[in-house]
Amino acid sequence: MQQTHQGTRVPAVWRPRGRRRIAMVSLCVAVAAVAGAFAGVSTAATPDVRLAKGSYVPGEVLVRFRDGASASGVAAAHASAAATVLRSFTSVSNLQLVRLSGLSVGGALAKYRQRSDVLYAEPNQIYRIDDVELTPNDPFYASMYNLNNTGQTGGTPDADIDALEAWNVTTGSNAVYVGVLDTGVDWDHPDLVNNTKPNAAECNGQAGQDDDANGYVDDCHGIDPLNGDTNPMDDNGHGTHTSGTIGAIGNNNTGVTGINWNVQIIACKTHDPSGNGDAAALVECLQYMEIMKAQGKNVVATNNSYGGCPEACGFSQALEDAIASNMDEGILFVASAGNDAANNDTTLKYPADYFVPNVIAVAATDDDDLLASFSNFGTNTVSVGAPGVSVRSTVWNNSYTYLSGTSMAGPHVAGIAGLLAAQDPSRTWSAIRNLILAGGDPKASLTTKTITGRRVNANGSLTCARRKVSGPLRPLPTVDGQDPIIVAALNINCARGARAPTVTITPGNTVIQLKDDGRGADLAGRDGIFSGRWNLLPCDPGAYTLTYSNGKQDTTTVTC
Ligand code: CA
Ligand code: CA
Ligand code: CA
């Protein structure tokens, strides 16, 4: 089996123009100006202020009464706003912090400001530290629309993964490990060098000795099972590019920045200079990730930006088994969807199409959040979209370039997995997968092209709250009805599984209760994928509609 690369070289069609944003400084100035505007607000009825979400504490108001305000008047004021006193202050007389139980902050302010005994009422503003380091100083950052789209490429501002916002939460950790199965990594590239030393025992050990007794001699940067050695140096550039998106060193005044400023890339060379690799090398790499994890390293995911040839010739049972073993060890498998502009639901494409719960298949979007013209898609098989057109990153020989392909989209997902593990090292593979899927931004261009209809958003994943996503996974559009048919659907609320859905299949009105118990048809328990078996024996060919209890619908044609 040949696994060819899914990156295509494109000319650098644009150059960095916009200036770097010094976002935090301007944010703080804005907050101070807003807060200042409230000082000395008169008691006259003031129109409701426009409150910027995130600029104040929800459900709280600061209110100061005039000297001489009566106790009954104060009580009546609080009653009118349905507020209770949290704190009274002495240095500023008659000032109280109150908690609201019904009204919005804006509504409560209006109530207080109507009263003559209220001197002023204002939101409990949030003030951020004046941190200017979160916008990285890497000179090419301004050209990276995929991380922070300011319209610098002519695209749509905010058609990006909100990396700038995510870096307020975490910029990654050198205690998080991401495997890259690719053409190797230029591990002494100045923008990668400290993030490509996953095995300190060997990097600092004796040459020619297996210092950590893991079966590989001198595997400081990873291994090269394609050539049977432990030097995964890149000889193509592709693997260095995918690695740079995941974890080029950030804020080092050099080149680009990765989604993770700090991370450890485990390079595993599976592909030759012309971009061809084989299943045996891939299986050994996935095994190597388990060896590293058994040493106590938090290996969160592998990135797999390659695919088999068209049709089912890309299928390898051994590779599927190795991916399933990775799931058992808590390692995600991020796969590019493919560059054939094809529907992966009907033209199966591996490894993206392996039906194993730790697989995340990634389509490519552009700087307008449109599906890239070359990108594969599939409402049952392709999980999410991520930027994959003209992505700037590191390449072989200490260089940088723009590449396009679903190969470039996948590393955005692997990179966000790294941030999620840095934020909370105890997260399970399924929690990280679900946060990536639920935290994305809904995009019309992806609604009928992916399971979730979302383009990933690093900040949305790191700050996920009450975001439900669901989508049918199986059966595929055509299915053989001579055996029981697997029915499965994703149904999650941020990191966790949501309520177990039922599915009603017509004609026939067959009702199946799907379960997330890890038994029988369900491949992993409590992971947010709910599964069941549809027994249509004796086989009855034709078109069927599956209607889920959460309102989703899917169709399939049964053949016999
Ligand atoms: Ca070793
Ligand atoms: Ca850099
Ligand atoms: Ca499950």
Side-chain angles (χ1 to χ4, degrees):
M1 172 185 54
Q2 297 273 295
Q3 310 263 350
T4 55
H5 274 299
Q6 294 174 5
T8 53
R9 198 168 287 271
V10 294
V13 291
W14 32 264
R15 297 275 181 267
R17 312 190 230 125
R19 286 194 189 166
R20 283 191 292 120
R21 286 166 52 189
I22 313 292
M24 289 308 114
V25 171
S26 55
L27 173 66
C28 290
V29 169
V31 168
V34 170
F38 289 112
V41 165
S42 77
T43 55
T46 309
D48 198 3
V49 289
R50 280 195 302 152
L51 298 170
K53 197 178 171 199
S55 69
Y56 60 92
V57 179
E60 292 185 4
V61 162
L62 281 163
V63 55
R64 187 176 185 190
F65 293 90
R66 290 184 184 280
D67 285 343
S70 69
S72 60
V74 169
H78 292 326
S80 74
T84 52
V85 177
L86 285 175
R87 205 183 310 171
S88 295
F89 299 86
T90 54
S91 68
V92 178
S93 59
N94 310 318
L95 179 66
Q96 294 183 325
L97 176 69
V98 301
R99 169 157 293 153
L100 309 174
S101 59
L103 293 177
S104 67
V105 169
L109 293 179
K111 290 285 185 189
Y112 283 118
R113 289 171 183 173
Q114 284 169 0
R115 299 181 59 91
S116 60
D117 55 355
V118 168
L119 186 60
Y120 56 79
E122 64 184 31
N124 187 13
Q125 299 279 355
I126 292 171
Y127 296 84
R128 255 200 66 77
I129 53 171
D130 280 329
D131 194 339
V132 295
E133 294 188 348
L134 294 177
T135 298
N137 58 22
D138 308 83
F140 296 161
Y141 169 69
S143 65
M144 302 177 77
Y145 83 87
N146 49 317
L147 302 187
N148 186 31
N149 193 331
T150 58
Q152 67 268 61
T153 60
T156 308
D158 297 328
D160 59 49
I161 67 162
D162 278 352
L164 189 67
E165 293 82 351
W167 294 329
N168 275 323
V169 181
T170 177
T171 54
S173 162
N174 278 123
V176 170
Y177 297 74
V178 177
V180 174
L181 281 58
D182 212 303
T183 58
V185 176
D186 184 1
W187 43 258
D188 59 3
H189 193 297
D191 225 358
L192 287 167
V193 60
N194 291 324
N195 287 354
T196 51
K197 292 177 179 169
N199 196 351
E202 291 285 0
C203 299
N204 305 321
Q206 298 283 324
Q209 283 191 17
D210 183 5
D211 300 278
D212 61 342
N214 68 351
Y216 294 94
V217 174
D218 298 342
D219 53 321
C220 165
H221 312 289
I223 59 170
D224 176 2
L226 193 69
N227 297 301
D229 61 52
T230 55
N231 182 2
M233 176 52 75
D234 196 358
D235 49 16
N236 171 287
H238 188 273
T240 302
H241 198 278
T242 58
S243 295
T245 298
I246 295 165
I249 302 166
N251 208 40
N252 64 342
N253 259 309
T254 303
V256 294
T257 180
I259 292 167
N260 298 267
W261 297 7
N262 304 293
V263 68
Q264 283 299 343
I265 303 280
I266 305 175
C268 204
K269 185 166 171 55
T270 49
H271 288 74
D272 67 17
S274 58
N276 293 315
D278 63 50
L282 295 168
V283 170
E284 185 168 350
C285 283
L286 296 179
Q287 173 181 281
Y288 183 72
M289 299 305 151
E290 296 181 10
I291 291 170
M292 296 292 264
K293 189 145 194 172
Q295 292 181 337
K297 293 164 178 156
N298 187 10
V299 183
V300 60
T302 60
N303 186 72
N304 302 271
S305 288
Y306 53 84
C309 52
E311 314 298 338
C313 65
F315 180 84
S316 159
Q317 187 63 57
L319 183 52
E320 181 174 20
D321 291 345
I323 294 169
S325 177
N326 267 203
M327 181 181 79
D328 292 340
E329 300 305 323
I331 303 171
L332 289 168
F333 185 94
V334 179
S336 53
N339 298 341
D340 317 303
N343 185 346
N344 284 2
D345 293 354
T346 51
T347 305
L348 298 184
K349 179 84 177 179
Y350 297 97
D353 266 3
Y354 287 119
F355 186 53
V356 188
N358 60 329
V359 174
I360 303 176
V362 189
T365 55
D366 67 9
D367 62 356
D368 282 317
D369 267 333
L370 300 176
L371 185 71
S373 58
F374 53 76
S375 180
N376 289 12
F377 52 90
T379 55
N380 292 136
T381 54
V382 176
S383 312
V384 284
V389 177
S390 292
V391 173
R392 197 173 203 183
S393 185
T394 45
V395 283
W396 186 42
N397 206 15
N398 302 346
S399 190
Y400 302 86
T401 198
Y402 296 88
L403 291 177
S404 295
T406 53
S407 276
M408 283 65 243
H412 287 80
V413 171
I416 295 170
L419 290 181
L420 285 163
Q423 183 191 28
D424 180 357
S426 71
R427 282 192 170 122
T428 63
W429 66 268
S430 62
I432 292 173
R433 183 201 66 193
N434 293 344
L435 287 169
I436 290 168
L437 302 185
D441 296 332
K443 293 293 164 188
S445 60
L446 299 172
T447 304
T448 61
K449 301 292 184 184
T450 58
I451 297 163
T452 61
R454 289 172 188 235
R455 186 257 301 127
V456 293
N457 184 311
N459 189 51
S461 294
L462 292 168
T463 61
C464 196
R466 294 187 300 281
R467 298 182 74 162
K468 291 184 179 175
V469 181
S470 65
L473 306 175
R474 291 292 185 278
L476 294 173
T478 55
V479 64
D480 182 350
Q482 310 213 51
D483 297 314
I485 300 166
I486 301 294
V487 179
L490 178 80
N491 193 29
I492 56 174
N493 183 353
C494 289
R496 308 172 72 93
R499 180 182 297 194
T502 59
V503 59
T504 303
I505 305 172
T506 53
N509 276 323
T510 306
V511 178
I512 301 170
Q513 174 67 57
L514 302 185
K515 293 181 180 175
D516 190 7
D517 58 3
R519 302 166 75 178
D522 192 54
L523 299 174
R526 304 184 67 180
D527 75 318
I529 293 177
F530 295 78
S531 325
R533 281 206 171 89
W534 173 23
N535 193 335
L536 193 62
L537 300 175
C539 187
D540 188 4
Y544 291 84
T545 298
L546 295 84
T547 304
Y548 290 82
S549 50
N550 63 11
K552 289 276 164 111
Q553 272 201 344
D554 199 20
T555 57
T556 192
T557 299
V558 174
T559 60
C560 298

